[in-house]
């Protein structure tokens, strides 16, 4: 007996169909965009104008409203890619391949933002733009893993073969995720320890925490919008010779 409820199982089976997924994504993106705009506006307003200055860092701490959500997303997206990669290898599901390869450039973008904003934050706090700190170095390795996945997919002409190669790379590279997460606990690093995702009460004031969580949610919505858009393009490339794509093109022409 399956532990997944029947309606949920039927939904995912339907979404595995490229034309159904394409139509679903097309309808969902505008709604996600509206919510994203609202959350981003609220998060930035509360974070930049309502939250008080930090007693040690002053106003320079406000970069966390970009840096921290971007860093969270860099890990979140890679884990999702690894899950999609596993599904693609085991069940040969095309949509899992599409979501995996479509996520790579977005994840690389978030990782790059996390590294750049971390350097901007580190300069006034540490007195230097960069140190070979465990957290920073492992995050840089994550960026290379994303870029490697993008390059590998582009280097192999057959998309199914390329997707399987990327899936293997991503799954092997997932070992870096716990290293990034626990690096501040395993090694003596300059990077501060966890303040939100830790046991007990978060060591950040509620007036600073609320906009941070709003921005984190907005970043997740941004990823959802971006990956759906990229997946639609990837599906059209893969299904360009099918009847439903030809009808779609005729209908839009």
């Amino acid at each position: 007996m399956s532990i997944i409820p029947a309606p949920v199982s039927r939904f995912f089976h339907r979404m595995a169909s490229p034309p159904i997924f394409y139509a679903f994504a097309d309808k969902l993106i505008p709604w996600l965009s509206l919510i994203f705009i609202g959350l981003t506006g609220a998060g930035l307003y509360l974070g930049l104008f309502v939250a008080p200055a930090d007693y040690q860092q002053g106003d320079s701490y406000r970069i966390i409203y970009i840096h921290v959500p971007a860093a969270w997303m860099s890990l979140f997206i890679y884990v999702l890619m690894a899950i999609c990669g596993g599904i693609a290898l085991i069940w040969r599901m095309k949509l899992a391949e599409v979501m995996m390869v479509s996520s790579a450039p977005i994840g690389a973008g978030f990782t790059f933002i996390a590294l750049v904003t971390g350097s901007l934050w580190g300069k006034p706090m540490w007195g230097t733009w960069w140190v070979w700190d465990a957290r920073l170095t492992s995050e840089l390795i994550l960026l290379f893993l994303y870029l490697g996945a993008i390059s590998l997919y582009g280097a192999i002409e057959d998309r199914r073969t390329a997707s399987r190669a990327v899936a293997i790379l991503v799954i092997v590279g997932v070992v870096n995720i716990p290293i990034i997460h626990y690096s501040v606990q395993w090694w003596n690093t300059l990077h501060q320890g966890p303040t939100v995702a830790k046991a007990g009460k978060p060591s950040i004031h509620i007036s600073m925490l609320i906009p941070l969580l709003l921005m984190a949610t907005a970043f997740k919505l941004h990823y959802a919008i971006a990956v759906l858009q990229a997946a639609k393009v990837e599906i059209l490339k893969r299904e360009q010779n099918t009847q439903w794509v030809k009808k779609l093109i005729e209908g839009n022409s």
Side-chain angles (χ1 to χ4, degrees), residues 51-91:
D54 184 76
Y55 75 99
Q56 287 182 321
Q57 303 178 37
D59 286 321
S60 64
Y61 89 95
R62 298 184 194 278
I63 202 170
I64 69 169
Y65 297 116
I66 301 297
H67 171 71
V68 174
W72 286 347
M73 290 304 300
S74 69
L75 305 184
F76 175 75
I77 293 173
Y78 196 90
V79 171
L80 285 184
M81 285 178 62
I83 293 172
C84 289
I87 294 172
L89 288 175
I90 296 170
W91 290 290

Side-chain angles (χ1 to χ4, degrees), residues 27-250:
K27 293 178 181 178
L28 188 60
I29 288 171
W31 293 102
L32 292 178
S33 300
L34 287 174
I35 301 171
F36 164 72
I37 292 170
L39 287 177
T40 302
L44 288 177
Y45 174 74
L46 293 175
L48 298 180
F49 301 106
V50 176
D54 184 76
Y55 75 99
Q56 287 182 321
Q57 303 178 37
D59 286 321
S60 64
Y61 89 95
R62 298 184 194 278
I63 202 170
I64 69 169
Y65 297 116
I66 301 297
H67 171 71
V68 174
W72 286 347
M73 290 304 300
S74 69
L75 305 184
F76 175 75
I77 293 173
Y78 196 90
V79 171
L80 285 184
M81 285 178 62
I83 293 172
C84 289
I87 294 172
L89 288 175
I90 296 170
W91 290 290
R92 303 283 195 257
M93 189 179 293
K94 289 184 181 180
L95 186 58
E97 296 176 1
V98 169
M99 296 300 288
M100 178 185 64
V101 299
S102 299
S103 294
I106 306 166
F110 278 120
T111 308
F112 181 76
I113 292 171
L115 288 167
V116 170
T117 54
S119 295
L120 293 173
W121 191 9
K123 179 60 176 177
M125 295 300 105
W126 304 336
T128 181
W129 297 104
W130 179 268
V131 291
W132 291 103
D133 179 274
R135 172 62 65 84
L136 275 66
T137 304
S138 54
E139 186 75 8
L140 180 61
I141 291 173
L142 181 63
L143 177 60
F144 291 152
L145 286 169
Y146 275 122
L147 295 177
I150 296 169
S151 300
L152 183 59
Y153 187 67
I156 302 174
E157 186 174 352
D158 182 73
R159 294 184 183 273
R160 300 304 302 273
T161 303
S163 297
R164 287 193 287 271
V166 171
I168 294 170
L169 172 64
V170 171
I171 291 171
V172 171
V174 82
V175 69
N176 189 47
I177 300 302
I179 294 175
I180 297 173
H181 182 72
Y182 292 107
S183 58
V184 293
Q185 300 174 29
W186 290 347
W187 294 285
N188 183 24
T189 69
L190 285 175
H191 197 285
Q192 71 184 61
T195 55
V196 179
K198 70 173 188 176
K201 185 179 179 181
S203 56
I204 179 172
H205 193 270
I206 189 67
S207 61
M208 301 175 180
L209 178 61
I210 290 176
L212 180 59
L213 295 179
L214 286 174
M215 290 302 295
T217 306
F219 272 44
K220 282 186 171 59
L221 287 172
H222 179 272
Y223 162 68
I225 295 164
V227 77
L228 288 175
Q229 291 280 23
K232 285 173 60 182
V233 174
E234 181 68 21
I235 287 172
L236 290 178
K237 290 178 180 178
R238 292 186 176 216
E239 302 280 308
Q240 58 185 319
N241 295 321
T242 60
Q243 287 299 318
W244 76 269
V245 172
K246 291 178 181 179
K247 290 180 180 179
L248 181 67
I249 295 173
E250 291 172 2

